[in-house]
Amino acid sequence: MSQEKAKKTAAKAALSMVHSNMIVGLGSGSTAEFFISYLIEKVKQGLQIIAVCSSKKSEFLAQKGNILVKNINDVNLIDITIDGADEIDTKKRMIKGGGAAHVREKILAYASKKMVAIVDSSKIVKKLGGKKLPVEVLPFGHKHVQTTLKRYSFESSFRKNEENSILITDNHNYILDVDISKSNKTLENIHADIRLIPGVVDTGLFFNIAKKVIIGFEDGRVEILD
Ligand code: A5P
């Protein structure tokens, strides 16, 4: 409950960065969803924006709230993308993909002038990797990706949905949750090694992408990492 308040605090603080006539990238996950709900209120009050969405869920919520949504290929440059994260370190490196949307989230972030992360304070960590690293993989040959990861000493498991069957992403792929906590390699090398395995679409590691991190606390305080 209090973590929810911290998420809402961060989401609300990001609202001041959105102005009329902007193209806004919408992230996924509960913090991004709080942001979308606040944005819907602003649109009701007259804010005029176009949104580009990182998941079917975010698109559904935005459209339901009468936000004008465009396909990413129908816009040139996104002015700002606001998105959550699963872990962030002091260098603003992030692990994302807890909501299985990191591939689209990364595409949006790269297509944006600015990406702002909104998180509750529990997401700030000294070292990334406490949580599993989501890796999106093609269904074709997916078991061989897992075998290769094992050869690299990374244990992993395919993410399941609520019905306990394999989760299918919006891109019709699978997610492998990879334990990187025991690796001695740098995060950059881990990312590069995993990216090179045929069948891997992308990892949930984001480097040099977040321009700003808005951290919400349970007591309503906000801190900014610039
Ligand atoms: C979605 O795929 C993720 O990258 C989210 O940004 C992440 O899981 C954060 O989720 P919460 O805001 O629900 O913590």
Side-chain angles (χ1 to χ4, degrees):
M1 192 58 196
S2 42
Q3 193 190 14
E4 184 179 307
K5 185 168 178 222
K7 288 179 182 199
K8 286 181 174 170
T9 301
K12 206 169 266 176
L15 267 186
S16 64
M17 303 185 75
V18 178
H19 309 290
S20 272
N21 303 318
M22 275 186 162
I23 300 179
V24 183
L26 302 179
S28 304
S30 59
T31 316
E33 285 172 17
F34 287 131
F35 176 74
I36 294 169
S37 67
Y38 295 136
L39 200 58
I40 289 169
E41 290 310 310
K42 284 277 173 191
V43 166
K44 271 191 199 138
Q45 292 161 17
L47 180 79
Q48 291 190 324
I49 55 136
I50 290 169
V52 173
C53 301
S54 60
S55 63
K56 288 183 181 162
K57 174 92 185 286
S58 294
E59 184 174 312
F60 170 79
L61 294 172
Q63 283 178 331
K64 201 169 127 214
N66 292 320
I67 295 180
L68 177 61
V69 173
K70 281 202 177 179
N71 183 291
I72 187 162
N73 292 315
D74 294 331
V75 303
N76 288 327
L77 189 62
I78 298 168
D79 291 294
I80 189 166
T81 284
I82 313 273
D83 198 355
D86 299 304
E87 286 187 343
I88 304 192
D89 69 9
T90 49
K91 292 179 181 166
K92 290 182 279 183
R93 298 182 297 185
M94 304 186 276
I95 285 187
K96 289 178 53 52
H102 64 273
V103 170
R104 291 189 184 197
E105 290 168 348
K106 203 181 277 188
I107 292 171
L108 253 65
Y110 267 81
S112 304
K113 286 186 204 161
K114 185 189 263 194
M115 187 268 173
V116 175
I118 47 174
V119 292
D120 64 88
S121 54
S122 73
K123 305 295 181 56
I124 307 297
V125 296
K126 283 211 178 81
K127 189 174 183 291
L128 295 183
K131 290 196 179 133
K132 301 278 193 310
L133 173 66
V135 175
E136 185 157 331
V137 300
L138 298 181
F140 184 87
H142 61 277
K143 290 198 174 155
H144 294 274
V145 175
Q146 190 175 36
T147 306
T148 307
L149 284 169
K150 204 168 171 59
R151 216 170 55 231
Y152 293 172
S153 302
F154 292 120
E155 291 300 326
S156 65
S157 56
F158 284 98
R159 196 175 302 176
K160 303 273 181 65
N161 60 22
E162 280 142 19
E163 287 87 47
N164 206 33
S165 30
I166 196 155
L167 181 137
I168 314 274
T169 69
D170 284 351
N171 309 312
H172 310 290
N173 294 320
Y174 300 159
I175 297 284
L176 265 170
D177 288 309
V178 183
D179 184 0
I180 60 166
S181 64
K182 295 177 196 79
S183 178
N184 295 323
K185 291 185 176 166
T186 65
L187 294 166
E188 287 75 7
N189 284 340
I190 291 172
H191 170 74
D193 286 352
I194 297 178
R195 269 301 301 263
L196 280 176
I197 302 171
V200 167
V201 181
D202 206 350
T203 82
L205 277 165
F206 286 51
F207 305 121
N208 303 317
I209 295 182
K211 287 273 173 305
K212 200 188 265 286
V213 180
I214 300 179
I215 310 162
F217 290 83
E218 293 167 8
D219 59 6
R221 262 180 321 119
V222 169
E223 270 179 25
I224 311 277
L225 264 183
D226 262 316

